[in-house]
Amino acid sequence: MQDCLFCKIANGEIPSKILYQDAEAVAFADINPQAPHHVLLIPRRHLASMKEVTEQDGALLAHLFVVANKLAQDLGLSERGYRFVTNVGPDAGQSVFHLHFHLLGGRPFGWPPG
Ligand code: 5GP
Ligand code: ZN
């Protein structure tokens, strides 16, 4: 999609610190990290948010979760744990409208979130 920041990161038009990529997914470091490890994981295909997800996206979502699991292991986060979240809409503070998951780790997180 034109004029989408994360589409441009996925196709290399805008530089980022890419940690993993394949035909379906890209993981890159968040520009404003909220934890020692803060990775953004996106599908290459443009979906504005979780609101656009359908049953047909099941394999893609499974793939994103498997990639996140591997990334967490590679980053050494699996033992102590981490958070894997997607913000949807204004109450959650979504600021980029290309579906993305935050993989956050390396410190404890409170619950419920503020
Ligand atoms: P949201 O608030 O939509 O859940 O998350 C958007 C995330 O994208 C934020 O954590 C923000 O720091 C990150 N972000 C915004 N612009 C850029 C950018 O140009 N490059 C990278 N790597 N991350 C960005
Ligand atoms: Zn996009």
Side-chain angles (χ1 to χ4, degrees), residues 5-6 9 28-32 40 87 93-96 100 102:
L5 176 63
F6 286 178
I9 285 179
F28 53 97
D30 196 293
I31 206 168
N32 182 23
L40 297 174
N87 293 320
Q94 184 180 5
S95 61
V96 177
H100 54 282
H102 298 256

Side-chain angles (χ1 to χ4, degrees), residues 14-89:
I14 291 177
S16 68
K17 187 182 169 197
I18 293 192
L19 302 176
Y20 173 86
Q21 59 182 318
D22 62 28
E24 305 294 334
V26 183
F28 53 97
D30 196 293
I31 206 168
N32 182 23
Q34 300 301 311
H37 295 282
H38 188 170
V39 179
L40 297 174
L41 178 60
I42 65 170
R44 287 190 185 275
R45 181 156 63 86
H46 182 89
L47 295 165
S49 80
M50 187 174 152
K51 287 200 287 187
E52 294 189 354
V53 168
T54 72
E55 203 71 41
Q56 273 64 53
D57 301 315
L60 175 62
L61 290 176
H63 181 64
L64 290 170
F65 273 76
V66 169
V67 168
N69 182 15
K70 284 188 187 143
L71 275 167
Q73 286 175 36
D74 292 349
L75 293 169
L77 301 176
S78 284
E79 195 172 324
R80 286 193 57 87
Y82 52 88
R83 193 148 293 166
F84 187 59
V85 292
T86 186
N87 293 320
V88 184

